[in-house]
Amino acid sequence: MNMDQHRLQSLIAKGEGLSLEFKACCDQLPKSVYGTVCAFLNRHGGTLLLGVADDGSVPGINPDALVQIRKDFVTAINNPQKLTPPTYLSIDDAELDGKKLLHIFVPESSQVHRCNGRIFDRNEDGDFDITDNTAQVAALYQRKQTTYSENRIFPHLGLDDLDRDLIAKCRKVASLRWENHPWKDMDDLELLKSAQLYQTSSENGESGITLAGILLLGRQLPLLNTVPHHRTDLILRKVNLDRYDDRDFVDVNLVESYERIMAFIHKHLPDPFYLEGTTSISIRDAIFREVASNLLIHREYTNAFPAKLIIEYGQVRTENSSRPHGFGRLDPETFTPFPKNPVIAKFFRQIGRADELGSGMRKMMKYSRAYGGAEPELIEGDVFRIVIKVPEFGEKMEPATGTQQVTPEVTPEVTPEVTPEVTRMLRVITGEMTRGEIMSALELKDEKHFRERYQQIGIAQGLIEMTIPDKPNSRHQKYRITAKGKATLEKRHV
């Protein structure tokens, strides 16, 4: 994607600072570029312009050297000998007054990175090697650990708790998108480590799958045992305003959740004909691809608030828990993207489920005007909300360059059957009870049988919950009936 000249001129006019760095780069990459990438990753992210001098003049890049410079950069940042952990960044071509440039956006990472074994941090004056400053290094690790819950390590989780077929699918997708993608020749554990989904704690040396790893690739029961409140509600509410016309209760891993969200969108929203130049594109998918990835990537997963996507008459609303960096409606002209879960976001980009930070929002703003006749509303807060105006089925739609008529098909919700075993368990639970107390009340002695036929199914269906969800294996763990479980009992007159 080429950056337009007006935006490029505005960026250069700001001058170098905490989140902007210029690098003169005529025939080869300056060695200092990697220290800057490391510093941006360790601080708040930033933009790197190659081909611009420190004083803001634009000598540009030799066109004959452009391809090799791009290749050298990508190879180096994917090389753990140069940058640890390695990262994956998109490089956009840019041009100003006939001079070739390269524009690189570096998001903030939730990891601490090293360049050639050294730790770099960023301030207004540039990049600083803080490796030998114990206090600054400790503060950097502490900031990362307290800010990003996605890095929490679960030592009891292993490869068998993940969907190995899904890992293979993601490896294949990434390799098809980038011919020399490093995942191509990695085994499953190496891929997880490369994607920062398997980590080792700097405090106690424990290793294991991270929260991001189990969320992205976990099998359903291990995922719900680890994050029992995880779910995304997809609701169609147009005729029956008190309840819903259709619903999908999504409590699978994030890769599969994305596919379920998009399937729900395809089922219930029209896709009008639209030409961009001479090419027909789906502006519905361009908009809701960003909406779906935003709903999953930028959620605070330690918060039990359920995420929702609600299709109403003339609009779609989403809600998800967040760690806000401001409050109120966002202005896309001044909005600076802040990654809530950089590891999850990076993984989504590798498999083509998300754009670079900021570019997806620009697409959503652009196409929403054509699709629903209005810009989307994005409201920051403890709960992040998006409102997208949409055309209605059965009406003649006239966005930008085409028309189409679509009629929806609404099917009834499919609710998982509550088994007799789970019903028995709900009957005996009073208040908060340990696993042993519930088994005793049920007169059961086989713990595996209880776990597989009673406990895990009850949790997966949202009928019971843990009292200490963050520590599923705690010796103090107890279980209680949820509101949904109580409603299930009332329906069965027990």
Side-chain angles (χ1 to χ4, degrees), residues 3 26 85-87 91 125 130 211 223 255 259 292 387 417 456:
M3 176 179 283
C26 181
T87 191
I91 306 178
D125 296 324
I130 63 170
L211 178 61
L223 168 58
V255 175
E259 294 169 355
V387 180
E417 180 183 356
Q456 291 182 344

Side-chain angles (χ1 to χ4, degrees), residues 41 108-113 144-145 148 150-151 196 342-343:
L41 289 166
E108 178 181 1
S109 174
S110 59
Q111 304 294 298
V112 174
H113 291 259
K144 297 289 186 181
Q145 290 167 356
Y148 296 102
E150 65 174 353
N151 290 319
Q196 301 166 43
V343 169

